Amino acid sequence: MRVEALRDLPKSSGLDAVDRVPLATGRKGRWPKTDPGGGIEDAALLILEWLGEQGINAMLRVDAERLAEGRPFWTFAASGGPLEIGMRADGASAALCLSSAVARLRELGVVVPH
């Protein structure tokens, strides 16, 4: 089964779709239905679960104060596991934030499945 969730990313990101990201719930092989018109944000929970399975602590957060100030208000942060140092990515939307985070994780040697 192929989950079409990352198809709207720029080709330079190297992400086209999520093929297989095992669920941490033990129900491997069961995939949630996503909106075919959605973007990377539809795969956010799958990405977070996969990172957790790799021993990486990760979170996606929205900051209302930064929104009110007109600054990028979505933040992705990850640390631990194979990451030698923690990393952070910010964006004005969930899609931009996650796209940036996945690209940064790849730069750090964590190849998120696609």
Side-chain angles (χ1 to χ4, degrees):
M1 178 183 228
R2 189 175 180 105
V3 178
E4 297 292 330
L6 305 179
R7 66 175 177 69
D8 295 329
L9 289 177
K11 292 295 179 195
S12 63
S13 70
L15 298 176
D16 292 320
V18 174
D19 287 327
R20 288 190 56 91
V21 180
L23 297 176
T25 61
R27 297 176 297 164
K28 299 188 188 297
R30 289 190 65 180
W31 303 102
K33 293 184 186 313
T34 60
D35 177 6
I40 189 170
E41 60 268 30
D42 287 341
L45 294 179
L46 294 173
I47 292 168
L48 290 170
E49 285 185 89
W50 184 86
L51 290 169
E53 290 173 349
Q54 309 314 304
I56 298 172
N57 301 309
M59 68 170 209
L60 180 63
R61 176 180 188 264
V62 64
D63 187 324
E65 288 179 20
R66 289 171 56 187
L67 171 63
E69 296 169 356
R71 298 186 306 155
F73 52 94
W74 285 95
T75 299
F76 175 92
S79 65
L83 293 174
E84 292 181 21
I85 58 170
M87 58 85 51
R88 173 182 170 152
D90 296 306
S93 70
L96 289 173
C97 182
L98 286 168
S99 297
S100 174
V102 169
R104 180 72 179 123
L105 284 165
R106 288 183 175 191
E107 289 174 6
L108 295 171
V110 179
V111 181
V112 178
H114 64 286

